[in-house]
Amino acid sequence: MCRWLAYTGEPLRPATLILDAQHSVVAMSQNSPLGAETVNGDGFGFGWYPADAGRTDAAGPRHPFVFRSIEPAWNDQNLREISRAVVSPLFFAHVRAAAGPPIQQTNCHPFRHDGWLFMHNGAIAQFGLIKRDLTLAVDPALYPLIQGTTDSEVLFHLALTYGLADDPIAAVGAAIRRVEELGHAAGVRFPMQGTLAVSDGKTLWAFRYSSQGRSRTLFHSADVPTLRAMYPGAERLSLFGDHAQVVVSEPLNELPGVFHEVGESTVAVLDPDGYHHRDFLPA
């Protein structure tokens, strides 16, 4: 369906991962060996929290900025310029393979609301059967903010409706359970599929879940000090601070031990204390 990457840690030029990694996000847009589709050329998006602006408190930046385009990521010079000019402590990148909703800018991820970013790789199966009921479950105050036609954007606004700002894990769980309830009632055996990421600019939550228990792939990086000990001659590691963490659809390189798979029905939480995970919607 799509491929995505999320970074959090010391401020970094996003091009370091979006463009320059061995298997960068742009490379994934052209060739994604672990993806449902090999090519993800139906648009892209880049969302970031700036390192030097938009702060609401000493804890970190809160207001994200978004650049989205229907161009293939490999063919967009603006993405190259922006990702090399920006410095960010937390950013999202997403390349899209359209599964049904049309190719238009408002259907490109990530989606934004206030201080939140959201992106999704996967699909709500037979979305058209339950689209009306799902959309009607969105808070009426949020409904006018839905700009596109994707299942992912509706899922984001459902999570906002169910209290994303107060408890992201519970809110995403409630949104997915609503999808499953309506899907099962409509005769859809496995309504939910995918991995998704959400952030408030300080913490990153990355979810891997599907109704079938066969979710899209998701990996997180090992901590940088450990990697420096494993690969003392790897000059590229000098680009990253000790707290740098990446969650990504596919490993960015082929070095053993650099990326670890996130388990099924798991939410990975990346915050200033590091990486930890917990079960998510266990059967």
Side-chain angles (χ1 to χ4, degrees):
M1 296 292 179
C2 306
R3 302 275 87 181
W4 60 254
L5 172 148
Y7 168 86
T8 182
E10 289 84 357
L12 182 73
R13 295 196 185 279
T16 305
L17 299 173
I18 295 174
L19 301 176
D20 300 337
Q22 180 184 6
H23 301 301
S24 68
V25 176
V26 170
M28 288 182 211
S29 70
Q30 295 178 292
N31 181 24
S32 174
L34 299 183
E37 293 81 18
T38 302
V39 178
N40 298 272
D42 298 326
F44 69 87
F46 169 43
W48 72 97
Y49 297 84
D52 56 358
R55 292 179 181 273
T56 59
D57 54 47
R62 293 296 307 278
H63 179 73
F65 296 87
V66 174
F67 171 56
R68 300 184 292 180
S69 172
I70 61 172
E71 292 283 337
W74 67 79
N75 194 45
D76 195 286
Q77 184 62 31
N78 291 322
L79 174 61
R80 297 178 182 276
E81 294 286 333
I82 294 172
S83 64
R84 294 200 188 283
V86 165
V87 175
S88 172
L90 198 159
F91 57 85
F92 285 7
H94 185 281
V95 290
R96 184 172 183 240
I103 300 170
Q104 60 192 49
Q105 193 177 98
T106 53
N107 284 345
C108 294
H109 308 219
F111 302 102
R112 175 181 61 187
H113 176 74
D114 290 340
W116 292 87
L117 286 177
F118 174 96
M119 60 185 175
H120 174 214
N121 168 28
I124 295 174
Q126 300 185 58
F127 178 52
L129 292 179
I130 61 174
K131 179 179 179 180
R132 181 179 181 275
D133 288 337
L134 278 181
T135 305
L136 289 176
V138 172
D139 186 326
L142 294 171
Y143 175 80
L145 304 179
I146 299 176
Q147 298 179 331
T149 61
T150 64
D151 50 353
S152 302
E153 190 176 13
V154 172
L155 184 64
F156 178 35
H157 284 78
L158 275 177
L160 289 166
T161 297
Y162 293 140
L164 185 69
D166 298 319
D167 188 337
I169 297 175
V172 171
I176 290 175
R177 285 303 192 213
R178 185 61 173 158
V179 168
E180 292 187 316
E181 290 167 3
L182 291 172
H184 290 151
V188 181
R189 186 179 181 189
F190 301 120
M192 183 64 198
Q193 166 62 253
T195 63
L196 59 90
V198 63
S199 180
D200 61 357
K202 294 181 291 187
T203 300
L204 167 65
W205 294 267
F207 301 80
R208 186 183 185 203
Y209 178 83
S210 64
S211 305
Q212 190 177 9
R214 298 177 61 184
S215 304
R216 299 288 187 262
T217 56
L218 191 65
F219 297 83
H220 73 88
S221 60
D223 65 275
V224 173
T226 297
L227 293 177
R228 291 198 184 107
M230 292 172 59
Y231 298 102
E235 295 182 4
R236 183 170 166 79
L237 289 173
S238 65
L239 299 173
F240 302 95
D242 287 351
H243 302 289
Q245 296 275 355
V246 179
V247 183
V248 66
S249 297
E250 299 182 22
L252 297 176
N253 59 50
E254 299 174 3
L255 292 175
V258 176
F259 287 92
H260 304 283
E261 189 168 10
V262 176
E264 286 281 354
S265 300
T266 296
V267 53
V269 183
L270 291 77
D271 57 27
D273 293 328
Y275 170 90
H276 55 280
H277 64 270
R278 55 189 275 192
D279 291 341
F280 178 69
L281 298 183

